[in-house]
Amino acid sequence: MQTTITDRVRFIEKVFGKGVIARSGEDIAVSCPVCNDTKKKKLSISLKSWSFHCWVCNEKGRTLVPLIRKTKSRETLEVYKRDFLNLKSF
């Protein structure tokens, strides 16, 4: 199943809170759950590749797997892998 950018934005905002989409439309910025800076939206997530980078704590990766594994529930990780990476389980 191919996901849309809208599907990806909805998932990211459900997991990380309200985001700000970049002018280019390629990235979304949300609050980083690692450094817990809720006032600044400095965690940038690519809507195409799922790569991410926090400009405050320097947390980064090629997919959201390590970030979700570190900060969110196992169920959230399973939904991400199933719906967006087309994987059943690691």
Side-chain angles (χ1 to χ4, degrees):
M1 177 179 96
Q2 186 70 9
T3 60
T4 66
I5 296 295
T6 303
D7 294 332
R8 292 173 178 230
V9 169
R10 282 188 193 132
F11 175 79
I12 291 167
E13 289 188 331
K14 182 177 180 182
V15 173
F16 299 105
K18 184 74 176 148
V20 177
I21 298 176
R23 288 183 197 166
S24 67
E26 295 180 5
D27 302 304
I28 185 168
V30 294
S31 297
C32 179
V34 175
C35 59
N36 292 319
D37 191 341
T38 57
K39 294 180 183 177
K40 298 177 185 174
K41 298 187 183 313
K42 295 293 184 175
L43 176 66
S44 180
I45 303 170
S46 169
L47 295 171
K48 292 182 181 181
S49 70
W50 291 108
S51 62
F52 67 93
H53 180 248
C54 177
W55 297 97
V56 176
C57 68
N58 205 33
E59 186 79 20
K60 55 187 165 186
R62 291 183 179 195
T63 71
L64 293 180
V65 170
L67 184 64
I68 293 173
R69 185 175 283 144
K70 183 184 276 189
T71 63
K72 303 299 176 183
S73 71
R74 183 178 188 92
E75 292 78 22
T76 301
L77 180 60
E78 293 301 320
V79 169
Y80 171 67
K81 290 189 296 187
R82 182 192 68 223
D83 294 352
F84 299 102
L85 298 181
N86 298 321
L87 301 172
K88 291 189 179 184
S89 185
F90 279 105

